[in-house]
Amino acid sequence: QKEVEQNSGPLSVPEGAIASLNCTYSDRGSQSFFWYRQYSGKSPELIMSIYSNGDKEDGRFTAQLNKASQYVSLLIRDSQPSDSATYLCAVNQASGANSKLTFGKGITLSVRP
Amino acid sequence: NAGVTQTPKFQVLKTGQSMTLQCAQDMNHNSMYWYRQDPGMGLRLIYYSASEGTTDKGEVPNGYNVSRLNKREFSLRLESAAPSQTSVYFCASSSQGPNSPLHFGNGTRLTVT
């Protein structure tokens, strides 16, 4: 069973701090990696994607990928109360041309004012 | 710009009843998916359709059937609902290729009593 693991939460940070969310995966053949944000009662929305080793920055968000160690992380700088949500790590265990994502169980982030 | 549309939003069934969840996307995506989300379990893939005319089982297909009616529509059927199928169901779509993220519908909250 190919697995995607996220460190257990919940995670609580003060406003303005850096939130660090981590994810490990078991399938070395995984090609693409995504972070989704899900507010309570809503559907997941894509916030970051990363495909090659290193860092990828988008505004206050930075995704980091290390394929040798099989982990992907998401850093949220200057955390805001509006960042309070569940964050889902997703890994594409692609078969041929198909995209088939496996999700971690998610980690709930709370940003306290 | 509707994206992925799911109906109904809420449904209550009695054990043994049947129903079909409808999903349609207007993004001209080739691939469509059905996930279920349960507390503490994350998102789990039920069935997916890589392209029109094909369907494949995901991680938790038992008790469900699907139909890819055309490129736009992908339905999920519960033939004889069980309390274990109480969940939030999400339909998603993606364009082809391993780097394609999923775009989610708003979800259907199903309760089986």
Side-chain angles (χ1 to χ4, degrees):
Chain A
Q1 177 76 2
K2 297 170 182 174
E3 296 183 345
V4 177
E5 302 277 350
Q6 294 185 245
N7 48 342
S8 60
L11 176 65
S12 180
V13 301
E15 185 174 355
I18 295 175
S20 177
L21 312 175
N22 299 316
C23 174
T24 60
Y25 59 95
S26 62
D27 182 12
R28 282 195 173 274
S30 299
Q31 300 184 49
S32 46
F33 308 85
F34 305 90
W35 283 98
Y36 285 81
R37 178 177 61 199
Q38 186 176 25
Y39 292 113
S40 180
K42 301 295 186 183
S43 58
E45 57 176 327
L46 179 72
I47 54 172
M48 288 289 286
S49 58
I50 187 165
Y51 311 116
S52 54
N53 281 330
D55 295 359
K56 179 181 178 182
E57 188 174 315
D58 184 0
R60 295 185 297 111
F61 298 98
T62 299
Q64 300 173 317
L65 175 61
N66 184 323
K67 289 187 177 180
S69 300
Q70 294 175 246
Y71 84 77
V72 56
S73 62
L74 180 71
L75 300 178
I76 306 175
R77 290 183 301 281
D78 188 24
S79 295
Q80 301 296 309
S82 59
D83 295 325
S84 298
T86 296
Y87 290 81
L88 304 169
C89 172
V91 176
N92 191 347
Q93 294 152 348
S95 170
N98 298 328
S99 181
K100 194 169 77 166
L101 295 190
T102 297
F103 286 81
K105 293 181 180 179
I107 182 167
T108 299
L109 171 67
S110 175
V111 181
R112 46 186 197 276
Chain B
N1 195 0
V4 180
T5 303
Q6 289 182 237
T7 56
K9 287 184 169 49
F10 300 94
Q11 184 71 48
V12 179
L13 292 178
K14 294 188 187 309
T15 297
Q17 288 184 318
S18 62
M19 78 161 296
T20 300
L21 281 64
Q22 307 285 355
C23 176
Q25 52 92 10
D26 63 2
M27 295 177 283
N28 200 35
H29 284 166
N30 288 312
S31 303
M32 298 186 72
Y33 309 80
W34 279 105
Y35 284 86
R36 60 178 289 175
Q37 188 174 39
D38 303 292
M41 299 296 292
L43 282 159
R44 292 181 293 169
L45 182 63
I46 305 171
Y47 270 95
Y48 67 102
S49 171
S51 60
E52 186 178 355
T54 69
T55 59
D56 284 289
K57 294 178 180 180
E59 182 185 352
V60 288
N62 291 346
Y64 304 95
N65 285 302
V66 290
S67 295
R68 183 73 183 269
L69 304 170
N70 47 54
K71 189 171 184 178
R72 290 186 64 246
E73 298 172 288
F74 188 38
S75 62
L76 178 72
R77 183 160 178 83
L78 286 70
E79 291 290 352
S80 179
S84 61
Q85 295 178 304
T86 293
S87 187
V88 180
Y89 292 85
F90 287 103
C91 177
S93 69
S94 72
S95 55
Q96 209 148 19
N99 292 344
S100 304
L102 300 188
H103 300 262
F104 286 88
N106 288 331
T108 296
R109 186 173 296 274
L110 174 67
T111 301
V112 183
T113 61

